[in-house]
Amino acid sequence: MTGLLHIGLILFSFVVVFDSEPTHAGPDREGESHEKSRLVHMTSHWAFQLANNSLTFSRADRFCRGQFSSLATLEQSEDQEGVFELLWHTKHNLPIWVRDPSKAGSSAVPLSKQYAQFSALNFPKESCEGFARLNMSFPTMSSVSVCVRVQWNAEWTEVSTIFSYAAPIFTNEFQLRGQVDVQGRILLALIIHGKHLPYKASFPNDGAWHHICVTWLRISGHWAIYVDGDRKDMGSGTDSPRNIYGDGIFILGQDQDSFGGNFTEPFFGNITDLNVWNISLETRHVQALNACSPMTPEVLFSWNLADLSNHPTVKEVQVLLYCPAVNQQMELHDCRTLRGWSSQQLPLLSWTDCSDPLLFICRSRRERYLKMKQITDSQLSGPTDFMNHLMKLSNKTQAVLVQQPSGLSSLAEASALLDISAQALEDTQLEGLEQADMVSIIQLLSLAADVPAQPGTEATNYSRDVAQELSRHFISVADRIIGEDNALKWQAIKEVVNGPMDVVKSIDRMVTCLIPRLMVETDHLIIHRPNIKVEVQQQMLQEGSRGFSFCGPETEKNSKLDCISVPRQKIQTLHDNGFVKLTLVNTWYGSLWPLFNLEENITMVPTVTDGSQRYLGTVLGSSVISTTVMGDNQPVSTAVRFQLQHRVQNPTGTVYDPVCAFWDFDLTPEAGGWWNTKGCDVVSKQIGYTVCSCNHTTNFALLLQVYEAQRSPENEKALQVLTFVSCGVSLCGLLFTFILFIAVGIPKSDRTTVHKNLIVALGIAELLLMCSDWASANEAACFVVTALLHLFFMASFSWMLVEGLLLWSKVVTVNISEDRRMTLYYIIGWGLPVLIVGITLTVSVDKYKADDHCWLNVKNDTIWAFVGPVVFVLAVNTVVLCRVVMVTVSSARRRAKMLSPSSASKLQIFDLTWAVTRPVLILLPVLGLTWLCGLLVHLSVVLAYIFITLNALQVRNAIKRIKEKRKALSFTRAPMTSWGRIPPTPSSPETSETSGPASSTNTSLVIKNESFRKESFVSFSLKPVSENQVVRLTGFKPSGC
């Protein structure tokens, strides 16, 4: 175990850059402390790394993938230049592995695309003379392989010859024949150099198509018979160890008792896809051919009906055969290599056996390489808390910072390393992970997912236990790093790692690879962690098989679960297509959506295009759920149906429209894939969840398109007209008010000066607002109008602030003289707006204006250059209003007690209510407090109507105040014409007092005002009542006033 953990620690640490900084002049070398150095050459976009270890093609590909890169290709000129420079400086020998970009991945394709059409020959039972001859001359062969697909006539039980090759010298040179045994099986046997080998290899006489391959090698005398990709019989040794003679005749469907004639033992059924090679194929080659992968090297004959001569009874027919490799392009026996350069420095490519160990070059983006160097440098400075715990658990004193390209070699080794990793993650949960830890763990998961399943050995209970233990540890480690608490760390390493979907891909590979071992003696397996749930279901297909369904864990009571299902009809289709065993791998990821940065918008065409809503962007808004369907241990694709809860809450003023999507790993592969919606549709949209259907299997999620809550076209039009009319009325009122201030002759004062400046600022702002729609057609004019609107509306609010300050000084502090403060008022009213607009334009001139209208941009922080000051002004003026109301109420109470001490309480309440209501109604528009509704218009269209209506009252209130002020001035300027005693009149209240003392005296004050048509009398009397002297004030107002 100590050696195992030592290897694990070596794998866990990584170095992908070297101690010296790379340059374009030549590659960098890793420090001499490393046993095996890797070399790097960087171009303007890419970094090319030469791994100084020879590996097979598949291991080289896995190693590059573990380094978040890929095998180099030579398709682009920059790739060719980078590889050439790297090899020229390092003087390494060729060939090296390079990737063929035309090869697709091994993803599942729909069943309808896994069938290929073949031209076949039908040998009818009605005639025993049917045959087909290959029109070619065969050379002398020291080895040979023949592969063919046959459909045996189930009614024929006699010996039949599938093919026979006869030479002029020897007729039974090479032949394949078959017969039906008592168990109903078809037994196969070879004849080589006339020696009849035993009937051993077999396949069921079920009337289905079967792929048969036979191989022979003279040097060893080894021969083999394969049926449907499996080796059914093999042996060595013949009576005559010689080559197969050339210039022979190859016949399909008949035995040649003489050279090219005297046919016996006919074949009845169908034959297609006959191919002949001058080599002895290996098992992996035969398996690839069984899946319909083409093999062109060393081929002597490739199936083509034009190269055959048929007997008249043999007819050509078209058949459909199950061929999973037709679209998957399964790996062949040869892989692409670079063997040199031409005189024009063009790459010379060739093909080499994929099992040969060769050097290779990994290619990654330049930015990714530099970020990896930065992370590595930080790791070299000292082990992190996580690494310290890892070394403690493994009884190691230090970690070796070298990664072995050979990778993990066994399930037990990978399971042990993942186990201590999970323990270290648990121990360092409070400390958290560093960037280097995250990258190392993701590399470990990628390596563990590529652990070979050791084909060729039977799945035992022991291997099942190891596989299940590996799976549990794997899911535990993956669950830790995709937790929501690591969201910021994922953002920090996004230049190196493609994202959390890399972990999803590793989980898919791991579970799919281990299915044959995981499901020994069981048909149901569940692994559940807080953020991940994996369920594997398996059943034998039969008529009327049920559908499959899978649900994630319950998150809240009475909430819909995240579920995915394969309909029963699709399961029946798989059964009808010949599948026997079906395995479903279902996975739920509950914490991926917080790991995707919400600020990084997902590019997608908006679904709402009628103009009723404004598109803001698209975000991941649900858990991720997936299904992988395995038919007879081969990936197949079928339609699925799923429902997912909405995980993102609607911000105020926005609405969501769900879109069904899946993660496409083949879309922008350099970035690890991207979201795609092809083949997915919304079935129903419900409150809190959405139901979708897709015509394939993969990883699914909901993308929520965010729209700004828009008003209906009718409301928008009504508000637009109301705004224009209100602005027009307001503008006319402001102009009329300004004329009144000048024409009526109101004396100059600080208050009138403030009013006039407020009128000017507000009037220009209203005029610009009415013209803004016309200016929107011209970009430059719209920008100017936006800046002027910003300036004059800011000036309006600044003078509203001055109105509040002035009112405070007159009412609260009762400071009569304001001459010295007018300079400060001018600075606030005009200087402050100019400063704010100037700074805003300087800081964000490119983001100043909105895209579709002449106003500030509300999608960034520019709008706060207006909203911020407005909120401040409204807050100050609200305090002023409250204080003024308090002073007014206090004065009203004192006045009520003095003038009518014995009045009814209801009258006092009415007076107090009016004393509060009147200043509020008057001061709300003047102080700009009606704009409080303007800050809330996004909540309801009703508030928009109220806001427009209230702001039209600012002018009406100003005109009313001017009239009142004019009357007040006329009253205060009136001269006094008389002051003295006036005899009582009979109608006066004093003469009606008959019970009063005779000594009572009346004193009257007569005020004559020229503005009144008659005199106004105010009289007061002093009367002794009991022992108290009472002053009675009586006012008279002549009629007609």
Side-chain angles (χ1 to χ4, degrees), residues 156 213 282 336 402 429 509 527 582 741 773 780 805 873 897 907 912 975 1026 1036:
W156 183 252
C213 282
E282 300 178 12
R336 178 176 285 189
V402 177
Q429 186 174 1
R509 291 206 317 271
I527 303 175
L582 193 65
F741 269 116
D773 286 342
L805 297 176
V873 171
K897 289 181 179 180
L907 184 60
L912 291 176
S1026 300
F1036 301 92

Side-chain angles (χ1 to χ4, degrees), residues 380-418:
L380 291 174
S381 62
T384 62
D385 292 332
F386 171 75
M387 285 296 179
N388 282 328
H389 278 76
L390 193 68
M391 290 184 290
K392 181 180 179 181
L393 291 171
S394 59
N395 297 322
K396 292 295 174 183
T397 58
Q398 61 180 1
V400 183
L401 300 179
V402 177
Q403 184 180 13
Q404 291 186 350
S406 57
L408 299 170
S409 59
S410 68
L411 298 179
E413 179 182 335
S415 178
L417 182 54
L418 288 169

Side-chain angles (χ1 to χ4, degrees), residues 347-360:
L348 299 177
L349 303 176
S350 63
W351 298 89
T352 305
D353 194 309
C354 296
S355 62
D356 291 345
L358 296 177
L359 297 176
F360 57 95

Side-chain angles (χ1 to χ4, degrees), residues 278-294:
N278 192 18
I279 59 173
S280 178
L281 299 179
E282 300 178 12
T283 300
R284 55 194 175 90
H285 304 153
V286 175
Q287 291 174 345
L289 289 167
N290 178 54
C292 304
S293 291

Side-chain angles (χ1 to χ4, degrees), residues 58-257:
S58 59
R59 285 188 175 271
D61 182 61
R62 289 199 297 267
F63 174 78
C64 289
R65 190 167 61 242
Q67 295 298 309
F68 311 110
S69 58
S70 60
L71 276 177
T73 63
L74 299 175
E75 300 303 309
Q76 304 296 328
S77 58
E78 186 176 2
D79 297 337
Q80 298 174 11
E81 175 189 353
V83 172
F84 177 82
E85 291 291 334
L86 179 59
L87 294 177
W88 185 82
H89 284 286
T90 58
K91 311 298 182 184
H92 274 78
N93 296 327
L94 296 173
I96 63 169
W97 294 124
V98 292
R99 183 168 57 91
D100 184 1
S102 63
K103 286 189 177 182
S106 58
S107 57
V109 296
L111 284 177
S112 59
K113 295 183 179 180
Q114 290 185 315
Y115 286 89
Q117 189 173 44
F118 285 80
S119 296
L121 296 179
N122 172 251
F123 296 81
K125 186 180 178 182
E126 291 73 20
S127 174
C128 295
E129 299 178 356
F131 73 91
R133 175 176 175 174
L134 276 62
N135 299 327
M136 66 167 296
S137 176
F138 285 86
T140 300
M141 296 177 287
S142 60
S143 59
V144 65
S145 296
V146 180
C147 293
V148 64
R149 299 181 189 273
V150 300
Q151 186 181 35
W152 202 278
N153 191 322
E155 298 178 358
W156 183 252
T157 59
E158 302 297 328
V159 175
S160 300
T161 301
I162 299 175
F163 68 81
S164 63
Y165 175 80
I169 301 176
F170 198 84
T171 56
N172 292 324
E173 189 72 337
F174 196 68
Q175 183 180 137
L176 176 65
R177 58 197 319 184
Q179 68 176 9
V180 180
D181 67 357
V182 294
Q183 299 179 8
R185 300 176 303 169
I186 298 175
L187 304 179
L188 300 176
L190 269 177
I191 296 178
I192 306 175
H193 300 325
K195 182 180 180 179
H196 198 301
L197 299 173
Y199 288 100
K200 282 188 177 181
S202 66
F203 60 89
N205 188 14
D206 53 7
W209 282 94
H210 294 276
H211 183 255
I212 301 172
C213 282
V214 294
T215 64
W216 173 78
L217 182 64
R218 179 188 63 83
I219 296 177
S220 61
H222 180 80
W223 57 268
I225 301 177
Y226 298 85
V227 177
D228 296 331
D230 296 329
R231 188 169 56 197
K232 297 293 187 178
D233 193 14
M234 60 179 293
S236 60
T238 58
D239 293 341
S240 179
R242 57 174 176 81
N243 294 338
I244 293 178
Y245 294 127
D247 298 325
I249 296 176
F250 198 106
I251 297 294
L252 280 175
Q254 292 284 359
D255 173 29
Q256 305 176 57
D257 281 349

Side-chain angles (χ1 to χ4, degrees), residues 442-493:
I442 296 170
Q443 284 183 308
L444 171 63
L445 292 176
S446 179
L447 289 171
D450 290 327
V451 172
Q454 300 179 354
T457 60
E458 295 295 331
T460 63
N461 290 336
Y462 171 76
S463 63
R464 181 199 64 184
D465 295 339
V466 173
Q468 292 184 358
E469 184 179 2
L470 169 63
S471 301
R472 288 193 295 269
H473 296 329
F474 194 103
I475 298 302
S476 296
V477 174
D479 178 79
R480 287 288 185 182
I481 64 170
I482 67 170
E484 188 174 351
D485 53 341
N486 288 324
L488 295 179
K489 298 180 180 64
W490 279 102
Q491 296 300 318
I493 63 173

Side-chain angles (χ1 to χ4, degrees), residues 593-644:
W593 63 269
L595 306 184
F596 286 84
N597 189 1
L598 294 179
E599 296 179 358
E600 294 181 0
N601 185 33
I602 299 174
T603 304
M604 183 171 291
V605 178
T607 55
V608 180
T609 58
D610 58 2
S612 61
Q613 295 175 329
R614 188 162 69 89
Y615 176 66
L616 298 179
T618 303
V619 297
L620 175 63
S622 72
S623 302
V624 176
I625 197 166
S626 70
T627 285
T628 301
V629 181
M630 307 286 290
D632 296 334
N633 294 327
Q634 295 181 359
V636 296
S637 185
T638 184
V640 296
R641 186 185 179 103
F642 61 92
Q643 69 175 28
L644 293 171

